Amino acid sequence: MIIAANLKTNLTRAKTLEYVNQVEKFLDANNISQEVIVFPAASSLNPHAGKVFIGAQNAYPVKNGAFTGEIGLEHLEEFDIKTILIGHSERRHIIGESQELIVQKFNFYSNLGFKIVYCIGEPLEVRESGHINMMAYLDAQYEGIDTNYDNLIIAYEPVWAIGTGLTPTLEDIESLHTELKKKSSAPLLYGGSVKVTNVQEVLALNNVDGVLVGSAALYAEHFCSMADIAQNLENLK
Ligand code: PGA
């Protein structure tokens, strides 16, 4: 299973260093073999060798250049980062990133062999407008994306479930994941208000290959508990 923490605009470099070291120690001490990824803020990237994969929350599709406020490939290479989050709903809806720019990023970083965690998800009004509309909305987020890319992980995160404490029902998550798996056989994560108390039931669903966690992952011990729960589930298989 894949257990990923999106730290968003939280944790300074010093705090991130502590966080990643704590997670790394836990994985080692508890023989956790699940894939664990942490996405720190851009200024909190540190070199890291170990079980935890460090990924970038965002980078511009360029090696370097005149793109004020952005980081490029060079900045990731400095820390040997080969994992990137693309298409997160906060970038789509708050920053206003278009599908076109998202595709440019996808193409640029997939050509370099990066592991890409590609996010899709619908706002509440889209979900409420009916299943056909919702699937059409999600389909549009696959436009231009190579769904057969080897190093692809998809994260389904309903926008209305992110940071709100709301989640779809377990039945909804399972049936949607089953439908989405027909579009791509890439590992499919669920994200949106996942926490220690619900991660087990989410991970136990068919066609859920892992979770992408925001707020509840901000405390290393909570994130570690989630990795532990994933490992225990895997051990039962
Ligand atoms: P949340 O965020 O866990 O705080 O809902 C998830 C995400 O945005 O990836």
Side-chain angles (χ1 to χ4, degrees), residues 122-224:
E122 81 293 349
L124 188 58
E125 64 275 15
V126 172
R127 174 167 279 241
E128 286 176 342
S129 69
H131 192 70
I132 292 175
N133 277 343
M134 179 171 127
M135 291 318 288
Y137 187 93
L138 294 175
D139 271 347
Q141 295 182 327
Y142 283 87
E143 247 164 52
I145 300 299
D146 175 8
T147 52
N148 293 316
Y149 175 54
D150 271 356
N151 231 346
L152 172 65
I153 297 168
I154 296 175
Y156 168 63
E157 301 197 298
V159 179
W160 52 275
I162 294 180
T164 58
L166 303 171
T167 52
T169 63
L170 295 172
E171 294 72 23
D172 275 352
I173 296 174
E174 189 168 78
S175 71
L176 194 65
H177 271 233
T178 304
E179 213 165 333
L180 292 176
K181 272 278 179 166
K182 292 179 192 147
K183 298 182 196 292
S184 169
S185 58
L188 182 57
L189 315 185
Y190 169 77
S193 295
V194 173
K195 43 187 186 263
V196 177
T197 49
N198 65 10
V199 70
Q200 176 154 351
E201 49 199 15
V202 172
L203 286 174
L205 297 172
N206 291 319
N207 293 317
V208 172
D209 303 305
V211 285
L212 176 57
V213 191
S215 358
L218 288 180
Y219 293 95
E221 51 275 32
H222 290 198
F223 186 55
C224 289

Side-chain angles (χ1 to χ4, degrees), residues 97-148:
E97 229 170 76
S98 65
Q99 184 66 15
E100 196 187 348
L101 177 56
I102 287 169
V103 168
Q104 277 175 32
K105 290 182 180 181
F106 188 95
N107 290 340
F108 185 82
Y109 287 101
S110 61
N111 277 331
L112 293 161
F114 269 61
K115 185 194 295 274
I116 296 180
V117 178
Y118 182 70
C119 304
I120 58 165
E122 81 293 349
L124 188 58
E125 64 275 15
V126 172
R127 174 167 279 241
E128 286 176 342
S129 69
H131 192 70
I132 292 175
N133 277 343
M134 179 171 127
M135 291 318 288
Y137 187 93
L138 294 175
D139 271 347
Q141 295 182 327
Y142 283 87
E143 247 164 52
I145 300 299
D146 175 8
T147 52
N148 293 316

